[in-house]
Amino acid sequence: MAFKPLHDRVLVRRVESEEKTAGGLIIPDSAKEKPSEGEVVAVGAGARKDSGELIEMAVQAGDKILFGKWSGTEVTIDGEELLIMKESDILGIIEASAAAKAA
Protein backbone atom coordinates (compact mmCIF):
# COMPACT_ATOMS: atom_id res chain seq x y z
CA MET A 1 0.00 0.00 0.00
CA ALA A 2 1.47 3.33 -1.03
CA PHE A 3 -0.20 5.69 1.45
CA LYS A 4 1.45 7.53 4.35
CA PRO A 5 -0.67 9.77 6.60
CA LEU A 6 0.61 13.27 7.35
CA HIS A 7 1.25 14.91 10.73
CA ASP A 8 -0.66 13.23 13.59
CA ARG A 9 -2.99 11.19 11.39
CA VAL A 10 -3.32 7.38 11.55
CA LEU A 11 -4.55 4.89 8.93
CA VAL A 12 -6.68 2.15 10.56
CA ARG A 13 -8.20 -1.13 9.36
CA ARG A 14 -11.36 -2.07 11.27
CA VAL A 15 -11.34 -5.45 13.03
CA GLU A 16 -14.56 -7.34 12.39
CA SER A 17 -16.67 -8.19 15.42
CA GLU A 18 -17.93 -11.62 16.42
CA GLU A 19 -20.77 -13.24 14.48
CA LYS A 20 -22.30 -14.57 17.71
CA THR A 21 -23.16 -13.13 21.11
CA ALA A 22 -21.78 -14.63 24.32
CA GLY A 23 -25.05 -16.58 24.64
CA GLY A 24 -24.63 -18.14 21.19
CA LEU A 25 -27.12 -16.01 19.22
CA ILE A 26 -26.08 -15.23 15.64
CA ILE A 27 -26.12 -11.52 14.82
CA PRO A 28 -27.45 -10.67 11.33
CA ASP A 29 -25.44 -8.19 9.22
CA SER A 30 -28.26 -5.64 9.37
CA ALA A 31 -28.08 -5.51 13.19
CA LYS A 32 -24.28 -5.30 13.50
CA GLU A 33 -22.68 -2.04 14.50
CA LYS A 34 -19.46 -0.93 12.90
CA PRO A 35 -16.60 -2.11 15.10
CA SER A 36 -14.76 0.46 17.18
CA GLU A 37 -11.66 -1.70 17.30
CA GLY A 38 -8.96 -1.72 14.66
CA GLU A 39 -5.37 -2.28 13.65
CA VAL A 40 -3.03 0.59 12.81
CA VAL A 41 -1.81 0.25 9.21
CA ALA A 42 0.33 3.40 8.94
CA VAL A 43 1.13 6.50 11.00
CA GLY A 44 2.29 10.01 10.21
CA ALA A 45 5.46 11.61 11.57
CA GLY A 46 3.64 13.32 14.47
CA ALA A 47 2.33 16.73 15.45
CA ARG A 48 4.49 19.81 15.88
CA LYS A 49 4.64 22.18 18.84
CA ASP A 50 4.51 25.94 18.26
CA SER A 51 8.30 25.92 18.57
CA GLY A 52 8.51 23.45 15.65
CA GLU A 53 9.59 20.52 17.82
CA LEU A 54 8.17 17.16 16.67
CA ILE A 55 5.88 15.27 19.08
CA GLU A 56 6.30 11.55 18.39
CA MET A 57 3.27 9.32 17.84
CA ALA A 58 2.18 7.05 20.71
CA VAL A 59 0.95 4.36 18.30
CA GLN A 60 2.76 2.48 15.57
CA ALA A 61 1.83 0.19 12.68
CA GLY A 62 0.50 -3.14 13.92
CA ASP A 63 -0.98 -1.82 17.19
CA LYS A 64 -4.53 -2.96 18.06
CA ILE A 65 -6.52 0.11 19.11
CA LEU A 66 -9.91 1.18 20.40
CA PHE A 67 -11.50 4.33 18.96
CA GLY A 68 -14.73 6.29 19.23
CA LYS A 69 -17.82 5.21 17.33
CA TRP A 70 -17.88 8.27 15.04
CA SER A 71 -14.10 8.74 14.76
CA GLY A 72 -12.23 9.13 11.52
CA THR A 73 -13.00 9.51 7.84
CA GLU A 74 -13.79 6.41 5.78
CA VAL A 75 -11.65 6.03 2.65
CA THR A 76 -11.07 3.29 0.08
CA ILE A 77 -7.43 2.61 -0.74
CA ASP A 78 -6.49 -0.23 -3.12
CA GLY A 79 -10.07 -1.54 -2.88
CA GLU A 80 -9.95 -1.81 0.92
CA GLU A 81 -12.14 0.27 3.24
CA LEU A 82 -9.98 2.02 5.86
CA LEU A 83 -10.23 4.93 8.30
CA ILE A 84 -8.04 8.00 8.59
CA MET A 85 -8.19 9.62 12.01
CA LYS A 86 -6.22 11.92 14.26
CA GLU A 87 -4.18 10.28 16.97
CA SER A 88 -6.30 12.11 19.56
CA ASP A 89 -9.38 10.13 18.37
CA ILE A 90 -7.74 6.91 19.60
CA LEU A 91 -9.00 5.93 23.04
CA GLY A 92 -6.27 3.39 23.80
CA ILE A 93 -4.01 0.56 22.70
CA ILE A 94 -5.16 -3.01 23.35
CA GLU A 95 -2.24 -4.89 24.90
CA ALA A 96 -1.38 -8.33 23.53
CA SER A 97 -1.73 -10.05 26.92
CA ALA A 98 -5.23 -8.61 27.43
CA ALA A 99 -6.27 -9.77 23.97
CA ALA A 100 -4.98 -13.29 24.71
CA LYS A 101 -6.94 -13.48 27.98
CA ALA A 102 -10.15 -12.44 26.17
CA ALA A 103 -9.75 -15.22 23.58
Side-chain angles (χ1 to χ4, degrees):
M1 175 174 307
F3 182 83
K4 177 153 175 83
L6 296 176
H7 309 296
D8 63 340
R9 302 254 181 340
V10 179
L11 186 65
V12 176
R13 176 183 300 119
R14 287 187 194 266
V15 175
E16 292 301 319
S17 59
E18 293 291 322
E19 299 282 324
K20 294 182 181 180
T21 64
L25 298 174
I26 296 175
I27 303 169
D29 288 337
S30 60
K32 284 184 187 175
E33 290 187 14
K34 289 186 178 179
S36 58
E37 193 174 312
E39 179 182 355
V40 176
V41 177
V43 296
R48 294 218 177 256
K49 294 181 181 179
D50 290 337
S51 63
E53 183 183 346
L54 186 67
I55 303 170
E56 288 190 33
M57 300 287 276
V59 296
Q60 56 188 350
D63 283 349
K64 301 280 186 208
I65 60 166
L66 193 65
F67 52 88
K69 191 173 194 175
W70 306 108
S71 298
T73 302
E74 294 181 354
V75 295
T76 302
I77 300 173
D78 295 337
E80 184 177 11
E81 289 187 23
L82 302 166
L83 287 170
I84 298 175
M85 65 181 69
K86 291 184 126 269
E87 184 183 30
S88 60
D89 289 341
I90 297 172
L91 303 175
I93 299 171
I94 301 171
E95 298 292 331
S97 60
K101 287 180 184 176

Coordinates of all heavy atoms in Angstrom, one line a residue:
M1 N 0.8 -1.2 0.0 CA 0.0 0.0 0.0 C 0.9 1.2 0.0 O 1.8 1.3 0.8 CB -0.9 0.0 1.2 CG -1.7 1.2 1.4 SD -2.9 1.1 2.8 CE -3.7 -0.5 2.4
A2 N 0.6 2.1 -0.9 CA 1.5 3.3 -1.0 C 0.7 4.6 -0.5 O 0.4 5.5 -1.2 CB 1.8 3.5 -2.5
F3 N 0.5 4.5 0.8 CA -0.2 5.7 1.5 C 0.4 5.9 2.8 O 0.6 5.0 3.6 CB -1.7 5.4 1.6 CG -2.4 6.6 2.3 CD1 -2.8 7.6 1.5 CD2 -2.6 6.7 3.6 CE1 -3.5 8.7 2.0 CE2 -3.3 7.7 4.2 CZ -3.7 8.8 3.4
K4 N 0.9 7.2 3.1 CA 1.4 7.5 4.4 C 0.7 8.7 4.9 O 0.7 9.8 4.2 CB 2.9 7.9 4.2 CG 3.5 8.3 5.5 CD 5.0 8.0 5.6 CE 5.6 8.6 6.8 NZ 5.5 7.8 8.0
P5 N 0.0 8.6 6.0 CA -0.7 9.8 6.6 C 0.3 10.9 7.0 O 1.5 10.6 7.2 CB -1.3 9.2 7.9 CG -1.2 7.7 7.7 CD -0.1 7.4 6.8
L6 N -0.2 12.1 7.0 CA 0.6 13.3 7.4 C 0.4 13.7 8.8 O -0.7 13.4 9.4 CB 0.3 14.5 6.5 CG 0.6 14.3 5.0 CD1 0.1 15.5 4.2 CD2 2.1 14.1 4.8
H7 N 1.3 14.3 9.4 CA 1.2 14.9 10.7 C 0.8 13.9 11.8 O 1.5 12.8 11.9 CB 0.3 16.1 10.7 CG 0.7 17.1 9.7 ND1 1.9 17.8 9.6 CD2 0.0 17.5 8.5 CE1 2.0 18.5 8.6 NE2 0.8 18.4 7.9
D8 N -0.2 14.1 12.5 CA -0.7 13.2 13.6 C -1.9 12.4 13.2 O -2.7 12.0 14.0 CB -1.0 14.0 14.9 CG -2.1 15.0 14.7 OD1 -2.5 15.3 13.6 OD2 -2.7 15.4 15.7
R9 N -1.9 12.0 11.9 CA -3.0 11.2 11.4 C -2.6 9.7 11.4 O -1.4 9.4 11.3 CB -3.4 11.6 10.0 CG -3.8 13.1 9.9 CD -5.3 13.2 9.7 NE -5.9 14.4 9.5 CZ -5.5 15.6 9.8 NH1 -4.4 15.9 10.3 NH2 -6.3 16.7 9.7
V10 N -3.6 8.8 11.5 CA -3.3 7.4 11.5 C -4.3 6.7 10.6 O -5.4 7.1 10.4 CB -3.6 6.9 13.0 CG1 -3.4 5.4 13.1 CG2 -2.8 7.6 14.0
L11 N -3.8 5.7 9.8 CA -4.6 4.9 8.9 C -4.9 3.6 9.7 O -4.0 2.9 10.2 CB -3.8 4.6 7.6 CG -4.5 3.9 6.5 CD1 -5.7 4.7 6.0 CD2 -3.6 3.5 5.4
V12 N -6.2 3.3 9.7 CA -6.7 2.2 10.6 C -7.6 1.2 9.7 O -8.4 1.7 8.9 CB -7.5 2.7 11.8 CG1 -8.1 1.5 12.6 CG2 -6.7 3.6 12.6
R13 N -7.3 -0.1 10.0 CA -8.2 -1.1 9.4 C -9.1 -1.6 10.5 O -8.6 -2.0 11.5 CB -7.3 -2.3 8.8 CG -8.1 -3.4 8.3 CD -7.2 -4.6 7.8 NE -6.3 -4.1 6.8 CZ -5.0 -4.2 6.9 NH1 -4.4 -4.6 7.9 NH2 -4.3 -3.7 5.9
R14 N -10.4 -1.6 10.3 CA -11.4 -2.1 11.3 C -11.2 -3.6 11.5 O -10.9 -4.3 10.5 CB -12.8 -1.8 10.8 CG -13.2 -0.4 10.9 CD -14.7 -0.3 10.6 NE -15.1 1.1 10.4 CZ -15.6 1.9 11.3 NH1 -15.7 1.5 12.6 NH2 -16.0 3.1 11.0
V15 N -11.4 -4.0 12.7 CA -11.3 -5.5 13.0 C -12.8 -5.9 13.1 O -13.6 -5.3 13.9 CB -10.6 -5.7 14.4 CG1 -10.7 -7.2 14.7 CG2 -9.1 -5.3 14.2
E16 N -13.2 -6.9 12.4 CA -14.6 -7.3 12.4 C -14.9 -7.9 13.7 O -14.2 -8.6 14.4 CB -14.8 -8.4 11.3 CG -14.7 -7.8 9.9 CD -15.7 -6.6 9.6 OE1 -16.8 -6.7 10.1 OE2 -15.3 -5.6 9.0
S17 N -16.2 -7.7 14.1 CA -16.7 -8.2 15.4 C -17.2 -9.6 15.3 O -17.3 -10.1 14.2 CB -17.8 -7.3 15.9 OG -18.9 -7.3 15.0
E18 N -17.5 -10.2 16.4 CA -17.9 -11.6 16.4 C -19.3 -11.8 15.7 O -20.1 -10.9 15.7 CB -18.1 -12.1 17.9 CG -16.7 -12.2 18.6 CD -15.9 -13.3 18.1 OE1 -16.4 -14.4 17.8 OE2 -14.7 -13.1 18.0
E19 N -19.5 -12.9 15.1 CA -20.8 -13.2 14.5 C -21.8 -13.7 15.5 O -23.0 -13.6 15.2 CB -20.6 -14.4 13.5 CG -19.6 -14.0 12.4 CD -20.2 -13.1 11.3 OE1 -21.4 -13.3 11.0 OE2 -19.5 -12.3 10.8
K20 N -21.4 -14.1 16.7 CA -22.3 -14.6 17.7 C -22.2 -13.8 19.0 O -21.1 -13.2 19.3 CB -22.0 -16.0 18.1 CG -22.3 -17.0 17.0 CD -22.0 -18.4 17.4 CE -22.2 -19.4 16.3 NZ -21.9 -20.8 16.8
T21 N -23.2 -13.7 19.8 CA -23.2 -13.1 21.1 C -22.6 -14.1 22.1 O -22.4 -15.3 21.7 CB -24.6 -12.7 21.6 OG1 -25.3 -13.9 21.8 CG2 -25.2 -11.8 20.6
A22 N -22.3 -13.7 23.3 CA -21.8 -14.6 24.3 C -22.7 -15.8 24.6 O -22.3 -16.9 25.0 CB -21.5 -13.9 25.6
G23 N -24.0 -15.5 24.4 CA -25.0 -16.6 24.6 C -25.2 -17.5 23.5 O -26.0 -18.5 23.5
G24 N -24.6 -17.3 22.3 CA -24.6 -18.1 21.2 C -25.6 -17.7 20.1 O -25.8 -18.4 19.1
L25 N -26.2 -16.5 20.3 CA -27.1 -16.0 19.2 C -26.3 -15.4 18.1 O -25.3 -14.7 18.3 CB -28.0 -14.9 19.8 CG -29.0 -15.3 20.9 CD1 -29.7 -14.1 21.5 CD2 -30.0 -16.3 20.4
I26 N -26.7 -15.7 16.8 CA -26.1 -15.2 15.6 C -26.6 -13.8 15.3 O -27.8 -13.7 15.3 CB -26.3 -16.2 14.5 CG1 -25.6 -17.5 14.8 CG2 -25.7 -15.6 13.2 CD1 -25.9 -18.6 13.7
I27 N -25.7 -12.9 15.1 CA -26.1 -11.5 14.8 C -26.2 -11.3 13.3 O -25.2 -11.5 12.6 CB -25.1 -10.5 15.4 CG1 -25.0 -10.8 16.9 CG2 -25.5 -9.1 15.1 CD1 -23.8 -10.0 17.6
P28 N -27.4 -10.9 12.8 CA -27.4 -10.7 11.3 C -26.7 -9.4 10.9 O -26.5 -8.5 11.8 CB -28.9 -10.5 11.1 CG -29.5 -10.1 12.4 CD -28.6 -10.7 13.4
D29 N -26.2 -9.3 9.7 CA -25.4 -8.2 9.2 C -26.2 -6.9 9.4 O -25.6 -5.8 9.7 CB -25.1 -8.4 7.7 CG -24.0 -9.4 7.5 OD1 -23.3 -9.7 8.5 OD2 -23.9 -10.0 6.4
S30 N -27.5 -6.9 9.3 CA -28.3 -5.6 9.4 C -28.3 -5.1 10.8 O -28.5 -3.9 11.0 CB -29.7 -5.9 8.9 OG -30.3 -6.9 9.7
A31 N -28.0 -5.9 11.8 CA -28.1 -5.5 13.2 C -26.7 -5.2 13.8 O -26.6 -4.7 14.9 CB -28.7 -6.6 14.0
K32 N -25.6 -5.5 13.0 CA -24.3 -5.3 13.5 C -23.9 -3.8 13.5 O -24.3 -3.1 12.5 CB -23.3 -6.0 12.6 CG -23.2 -7.5 12.9 CD -22.1 -8.1 12.0 CE -22.1 -9.6 12.1 NZ -21.1 -10.2 11.2
E33 N -23.2 -3.4 14.5 CA -22.7 -2.0 14.5 C -21.3 -2.1 13.9 O -20.6 -3.1 14.0 CB -22.6 -1.5 15.9 CG -24.0 -1.2 16.5 CD -23.9 -0.5 17.9 OE1 -22.8 -0.1 18.2 OE2 -24.9 -0.5 18.5
K34 N -20.8 -1.0 13.4 CA -19.5 -0.9 12.9 C -18.5 -1.1 14.1 O -18.7 -0.5 15.1 CB -19.2 0.4 12.2 CG -19.9 0.5 10.9 CD -19.5 1.7 10.1 CE -20.1 1.8 8.8 NZ -19.8 3.0 8.0
P35 N -17.5 -1.9 14.0 CA -16.6 -2.1 15.1 C -15.8 -0.9 15.5 O -15.5 -0.1 14.6 CB -15.7 -3.2 14.6 CG -15.8 -3.3 13.2 CD -17.1 -2.7 12.8
S36 N -15.6 -0.7 16.7 CA -14.8 0.5 17.2 C -13.4 0.0 17.6 O -12.7 0.6 18.4 CB -15.5 1.2 18.3 OG -15.7 0.3 19.4
E37 N -13.0 -1.1 17.0 CA -11.7 -1.7 17.3 C -11.0 -1.8 16.0 O -11.6 -2.1 14.9 CB -11.8 -3.1 17.9 CG -10.6 -3.7 18.5 CD -10.9 -5.0 19.3 OE1 -11.9 -5.0 20.1 OE2 -10.2 -5.9 19.0
G38 N -9.7 -1.6 15.9 CA -9.0 -1.7 14.7 C -7.5 -2.0 14.8 O -7.0 -2.0 15.9
E39 N -6.8 -2.1 13.7 CA -5.4 -2.3 13.6 C -4.8 -1.1 12.9 O -5.2 -0.7 11.8 CB -5.0 -3.6 12.9 CG -3.6 -3.8 12.8 CD -3.2 -5.1 12.1 OE1 -4.1 -5.9 11.7 OE2 -2.0 -5.4 11.9
V40 N -3.7 -0.5 13.4 CA -3.0 0.6 12.8 C -2.2 0.1 11.6 O -1.5 -0.9 11.7 CB -2.1 1.3 13.8 CG1 -1.3 2.4 13.1 CG2 -2.9 1.8 15.0
V41 N -2.5 0.6 10.4 CA -1.8 0.2 9.2 C -0.6 1.1 9.0 O 0.5 0.7 8.6 CB -2.8 0.3 8.0 CG1 -2.1 0.0 6.7 CG2 -4.0 -0.6 8.2
A42 N -0.8 2.4 9.2 CA 0.3 3.4 8.9 C 0.1 4.6 9.8 O -1.0 4.9 10.2 CB 0.4 3.8 7.5
V43 N 1.2 5.3 10.2 CA 1.1 6.5 11.0 C 1.9 7.6 10.4 O 2.9 7.4 9.6 CB 1.7 6.3 12.4 CG1 0.8 5.3 13.2 CG2 3.1 5.8 12.4
G44 N 1.5 8.8 10.7 CA 2.3 10.0 10.2 C 3.5 10.2 11.1 O 3.8 9.5 12.0
A45 N 4.2 11.3 10.8 CA 5.5 11.6 11.6 C 5.2 12.1 13.0 O 5.9 12.0 13.9 CB 6.3 12.6 10.8
G46 N 4.0 12.8 13.2 CA 3.6 13.3 14.5 C 3.3 14.8 14.3 O 3.5 15.4 13.3
A47 N 2.7 15.3 15.4 CA 2.3 16.7 15.4 C 3.6 17.6 15.8 O 4.6 17.1 16.2 CB 1.2 16.9 16.5
R48 N 3.4 18.9 15.6 CA 4.5 19.8 15.9 C 4.0 20.8 16.9 O 2.9 21.3 16.9 CB 4.9 20.5 14.6 CG 5.6 19.6 13.6 CD 6.7 20.3 12.9 NE 7.4 19.4 12.0 CZ 8.5 18.8 12.3 NH1 9.2 19.0 13.4 NH2 9.1 18.0 11.4
K49 N 4.9 21.1 17.9 CA 4.6 22.2 18.8 C 4.8 23.5 18.1 O 5.3 23.6 17.0 CB 5.6 22.1 20.0 CG 5.5 20.9 20.8 CD 6.6 20.9 22.0 CE 6.5 19.7 22.8 NZ 7.5 19.7 23.9
D50 N 4.4 24.6 18.8 CA 4.5 25.9 18.3 C 6.0 26.3 18.0 O 6.3 27.0 17.1 CB 3.9 27.0 19.2 CG 2.4 26.9 19.3 OD1 1.8 26.4 18.3 OD2 1.8 27.3 20.3
S51 N 6.9 25.7 18.8 CA 8.3 25.9 18.6 C 8.9 25.1 17.4 O 10.0 25.3 17.0 CB 9.1 25.5 19.8 OG 8.9 24.1 20.1
G52 N 8.1 24.2 16.8 CA 8.5 23.5 15.6 C 9.0 22.1 16.0 O 9.3 21.3 15.2
E53 N 9.1 21.8 17.3 CA 9.6 20.5 17.8 C 8.6 19.4 17.5 O 7.4 19.6 17.7 CB 9.8 20.6 19.3 CG 10.4 19.3 19.9 CD 10.5 19.5 21.4 OE1 10.4 20.6 22.0 OE2 10.7 18.4 22.1
L54 N 9.0 18.3 17.0 CA 8.2 17.2 16.7 C 7.7 16.4 17.9 O 8.5 16.0 18.8 CB 8.9 16.2 15.7 CG 8.1 15.1 15.1 CD1 7.0 15.6 14.2 CD2 9.0 14.1 14.4
I55 N 6.4 16.1 18.0 CA 5.9 15.3 19.1 C 5.7 13.9 18.5 O 4.8 13.7 17.6 CB 4.5 15.8 19.6 CG1 4.7 17.2 20.1 CG2 4.0 14.9 20.7 CD1 3.4 17.9 20.4
E56 N 6.4 12.9 19.0 CA 6.3 11.5 18.4 C 4.9 10.9 18.6 O 4.2 11.2 19.6 CB 7.4 10.6 19.0 CG 8.8 11.0 18.5 CD 9.7 9.9 19.0 OE1 9.4 8.7 19.0 OE2 10.9 10.3 19.2
M57 N 4.5 10.0 17.7 CA 3.3 9.3 17.8 C 3.4 8.3 18.9 O 4.4 7.6 19.1 CB 2.9 8.7 16.5 CG 2.8 9.6 15.3 SD 1.3 10.6 15.4 CE 0.2 9.4 14.7
A58 N 2.2 8.1 19.7 CA 2.2 7.1 20.7 C 1.8 5.7 20.2 O 2.0 4.7 20.8 CB 1.2 7.5 21.8
V59 N 1.3 5.6 18.9 CA 0.9 4.4 18.3 C 1.9 4.1 17.1 O 2.5 5.0 16.6 CB -0.5 4.3 17.8 CG1 -1.5 4.5 19.0 CG2 -0.8 5.4 16.8
Q60 N 2.0 2.8 16.7 CA 2.8 2.5 15.6 C 2.0 1.4 14.8 O 1.1 0.8 15.2 CB 4.1 2.0 16.0 CG 4.1 0.8 17.0 CD 5.5 0.5 17.5 OE1 6.5 1.0 17.1 NE2 5.5 -0.4 18.5
A61 N 2.5 1.2 13.6 CA 1.8 0.2 12.7 C 1.8 -1.2 13.4 O 2.8 -1.6 14.0 CB 2.6 0.1 11.4
G62 N 0.7 -1.8 13.3 CA 0.5 -3.1 13.9 C -0.2 -3.1 15.3 O -0.7 -4.1 15.7
D63 N -0.3 -1.9 15.9 CA -1.0 -1.8 17.2 C -2.5 -2.1 17.0 O -3.1 -1.6 16.1 CB -0.8 -0.4 17.8 CG 0.6 -0.2 18.4 OD1 1.3 -1.2 18.6 OD2 0.9 0.9 18.7
K64 N -3.1 -2.8 18.0 CA -4.5 -3.0 18.1 C -5.0 -1.8 18.9 O -4.6 -1.6 20.0 CB -4.9 -4.3 18.7 CG -4.3 -5.5 18.0 CD -5.2 -5.8 16.8 CE -4.6 -7.2 16.2 NZ -4.9 -7.3 14.9
I65 N -6.0 -1.1 18.4 CA -6.5 0.1 19.1 C -8.0 0.1 19.3 O -8.7 -0.7 18.6 CB -6.1 1.4 18.4 CG1 -6.7 1.4 16.9 CG2 -4.6 1.6 18.3 CD1 -6.6 2.7 16.3
L66 N -8.5 0.9 20.2 CA -9.9 1.2 20.4 C -10.2 2.6 20.1 O -9.4 3.5 20.5 CB -10.2 0.9 21.9 CG -11.7 0.8 22.3 CD1 -12.3 -0.4 21.5 CD2 -11.8 0.6 23.7
F67 N -11.2 2.9 19.3 CA -11.5 4.3 19.0 C -13.0 4.6 19.1 O -13.8 3.7 19.2 CB -11.0 4.7 17.5 CG -11.5 3.7 16.5 CD1 -12.7 3.9 15.8 CD2 -10.7 2.6 16.1 CE1 -13.1 3.0 14.8 CE2 -11.1 1.7 15.2 CZ -12.3 1.9 14.5
G68 N -13.3 5.9 19.1 CA -14.7 6.3 19.2 C -15.6 5.9 18.1 O -15.1 5.7 16.9
K69 N -16.9 5.7 18.3 CA -17.8 5.2 17.3 C -17.9 6.1 16.1 O -18.0 5.5 15.0 CB -19.2 5.2 18.0 CG -20.2 4.4 17.2 CD -21.5 4.3 18.0 CE -22.4 3.3 17.4 NZ -23.6 3.1 18.2
W70 N -17.8 7.4 16.2 CA -17.9 8.3 15.0 C -16.5 8.8 14.6 O -16.5 9.8 13.9 CB -18.9 9.4 15.4 CG -20.2 8.9 15.8 CD1 -20.7 8.9 17.1 CD2 -21.2 8.2 15.0 NE1 -21.9 8.4 17.1 CE2 -22.2 7.9 15.9 CE3 -21.2 7.8 13.7 CZ2 -23.4 7.2 15.4 CZ3 -22.4 7.2 13.3 CH2 -23.4 6.9 14.1
S71 N -15.4 8.2 15.1 CA -14.1 8.7 14.8 C -13.7 8.5 13.3 O -14.0 7.5 12.7 CB -13.1 8.1 15.7 OG -13.3 8.4 17.0
G72 N -12.9 9.4 12.8 CA -12.2 9.1 11.5 C -13.1 9.4 10.3 O -14.3 9.7 10.4
T73 N -12.4 9.3 9.2 CA -13.0 9.5 7.8 C -12.8 8.2 7.1 O -11.7 7.7 6.9 CB -12.3 10.7 7.1 OG1 -12.4 11.9 7.9 CG2 -12.9 10.9 5.7
E74 N -13.9 7.7 6.5 CA -13.8 6.4 5.8 C -13.2 6.7 4.4 O -13.7 7.6 3.7 CB -15.2 5.7 5.7 CG -15.7 5.3 7.0 CD -17.0 4.6 6.9 OE1 -17.6 4.5 5.9 OE2 -17.4 4.1 8.0
V75 N -12.2 5.9 4.0 CA -11.6 6.0 2.7 C -11.5 4.6 2.1 O -11.4 3.6 2.8 CB -10.3 6.8 2.7 CG1 -10.4 8.2 3.1 CG2 -9.3 6.0 3.6
T76 N -11.4 4.6 0.8 CA -11.1 3.3 0.1 C -9.7 3.4 -0.6 O -9.5 4.3 -1.4 CB -12.2 2.9 -0.9 OG1 -13.4 2.9 -0.3 CG2 -11.9 1.6 -1.6
I77 N -8.8 2.6 -0.2 CA -7.4 2.6 -0.7 C -7.1 1.2 -1.2 O -7.2 0.2 -0.5 CB -6.4 3.0 0.3 CG1 -6.7 4.5 0.8 CG2 -5.0 3.0 -0.3 CD1 -5.9 4.9 1.9
D78 N -6.8 1.1 -2.5 CA -6.5 -0.2 -3.1 C -7.7 -1.2 -2.9 O -7.5 -2.4 -2.7 CB -5.2 -0.8 -2.6 CG -4.0 0.0 -2.9 OD1 -4.0 0.7 -3.9 OD2 -3.0 -0.2 -2.2
G79 N -8.9 -0.7 -3.0 CA -10.1 -1.5 -2.9 C -10.4 -2.0 -1.5 O -11.3 -2.7 -1.3
E80 N -9.7 -1.5 -0.5 CA -10.0 -1.8 0.9 C -10.5 -0.6 1.7 O -10.0 0.5 1.5 CB -8.6 -2.3 1.6 CG -8.8 -2.8 3.0 CD -7.5 -3.3 3.5 OE1 -6.4 -3.1 2.9 OE2 -7.6 -3.9 4.6
E81 N -11.6 -0.8 2.5 CA -12.1 0.3 3.2 C -11.3 0.5 4.5 O -11.2 -0.5 5.3 CB -13.6 0.0 3.6 CG -14.5 0.1 2.4 CD -16.0 0.0 2.7 OE1 -16.3 0.2 3.9 OE2 -16.7 -0.4 1.8
L82 N -10.8 1.7 4.7 CA -10.0 2.0 5.9 C -10.5 3.3 6.5 O -11.3 4.0 5.9 CB -8.5 2.2 5.4 CG -7.9 1.0 4.8 CD1 -6.6 1.3 4.1 CD2 -7.7 -0.1 5.8
L83 N -9.9 3.7 7.6 CA -10.2 4.9 8.3 C -9.0 5.8 8.4 O -7.9 5.2 8.7 CB -10.8 4.7 9.7 CG -12.1 4.1 9.9 CD1 -12.4 3.7 11.3 CD2 -13.2 5.1 9.5
I84 N -9.1 7.1 8.3 CA -8.0 8.0 8.6 C -8.5 8.8 9.8 O -9.6 9.4 9.7 CB -7.7 8.9 7.4 CG1 -7.2 8.1 6.2 CG2 -6.6 10.0 7.8 CD1 -6.9 8.9 5.0
M85 N -7.8 8.9 10.8 CA -8.2 9.6 12.0 C -7.0 10.3 12.7 O -5.8 9.9 12.4 CB -8.9 8.7 13.0 CG -8.1 7.7 13.6 SD -9.0 6.6 14.8 CE -10.0 5.7 13.7
K86 N -7.3 11.3 13.5 CA -6.2 11.9 14.3 C -5.9 11.0 15.4 O -6.7 10.2 15.9 CB -6.7 13.3 14.8 CG -6.9 14.3 13.7 CD -7.2 15.6 14.3 CE -6.3 16.7 13.9 NZ -5.3 17.3 14.3
E87 N -4.6 11.1 15.9 CA -4.2 10.3 17.0 C -5.0 10.6 18.2 O -5.3 9.7 19.0 CB -2.7 10.5 17.3 CG -2.2 9.6 18.4 CD -0.7 9.9 18.7 OE1 -0.3 11.1 18.6 OE2 0.0 9.0 19.1
S88 N -5.5 11.8 18.4 CA -6.3 12.1 19.6 C -7.7 11.4 19.6 O -8.3 11.3 20.6 CB -6.5 13.6 19.6 OG -7.2 14.1 18.5
D89 N -8.1 10.9 18.4 CA -9.4 10.1 18.4 C -9.2 8.7 18.9 O -10.2 8.0 19.1 CB -9.9 10.1 16.9 CG -10.4 11.4 16.4 OD1 -10.7 12.3 17.3 OD2 -10.5 11.6 15.2
I90 N -8.0 8.3 19.1 CA -7.7 6.9 19.6 C -7.9 6.9 21.1 O -7.3 7.7 21.8 CB -6.3 6.4 19.2 CG1 -6.2 6.3 17.7 CG2 -6.0 5.1 19.8 CD1 -4.9 6.1 17.1
L91 N -8.7 6.0 21.6 CA -9.0 5.9 23.0 C -7.9 5.2 23.8 O -7.6 5.4 24.9 CB -10.4 5.3 23.3 CG -11.5 6.0 22.6 CD1 -12.8 5.2 22.8 CD2 -11.7 7.4 23.1
G92 N -7.3 4.2 23.1 CA -6.3 3.4 23.8 C -5.7 2.3 22.9 O -6.3 1.9 21.9
I93 N -4.6 1.7 23.4 CA -4.0 0.6 22.7 C -4.4 -0.7 23.5 O -4.3 -0.8 24.7 CB -2.5 0.7 22.7 CG1 -2.1 2.0 21.9 CG2 -1.8 -0.5 22.0 CD1 -0.6 2.4 22.0
I94 N -4.8 -1.7 22.7 CA -5.2 -3.0 23.4 C -3.9 -3.8 23.4 O -3.3 -4.2 22.4 CB -6.2 -3.7 22.5 CG1 -7.5 -2.9 22.4 CG2 -6.5 -5.1 23.1 CD1 -8.5 -3.4 21.5
E95 N -3.5 -4.1 24.7 CA -2.2 -4.9 24.9 C -2.4 -6.3 24.5 O -3.5 -6.9 24.6 CB -1.9 -4.8 26.4 CG -1.6 -3.5 26.9 CD -0.3 -2.8 26.3 OE1 0.6 -3.6 26.0 OE2 -0.3 -1.6 26.2
A96 N -1.4 -7.0 24.0 CA -1.4 -8.3 23.5 C -1.8 -9.3 24.6 O -2.6 -10.2 24.4 CB 0.0 -8.7 23.0
S97 N -1.4 -9.1 25.9 CA -1.7 -10.1 26.9 C -3.2 -10.0 27.3 O -3.8 -11.0 27.5 CB -0.9 -9.8 28.2 OG -1.1 -8.5 28.6
A98 N -3.8 -8.8 27.2 CA -5.2 -8.6 27.4 C -6.1 -9.3 26.3 O -7.1 -9.9 26.6 CB -5.6 -7.1 27.5
A99 N -5.6 -9.2 25.1 CA -6.3 -9.8 24.0 C -6.2 -11.3 24.1 O -7.2 -12.0 23.8 CB -5.7 -9.3 22.6
A100 N -5.1 -11.8 24.6 CA -5.0 -13.3 24.7 C -5.9 -13.8 25.8 O -6.5 -14.9 25.7 CB -3.5 -13.7 25.0
K101 N -6.1 -13.1 26.9 CA -6.9 -13.5 28.0 C -8.4 -13.5 27.5 O -9.2 -14.3 28.0 CB -6.8 -12.5 29.2 CG -5.5 -12.7 29.9 CD -5.4 -11.8 31.1 CE -4.1 -11.9 31.8 NZ -4.0 -10.9 32.9
A102 N -8.8 -12.5 26.7 CA -10.1 -12.4 26.2 C -10.5 -13.6 25.2 O -11.6 -14.0 25.1 CB -10.4 -11.1 25.5
A103 N -9.5 -14.1 24.6 CA -9.7 -15.2 23.6 C -9.9 -16.6 24.2 O -10.3 -16.9 25.2 CB -8.6 -15.3 22.6

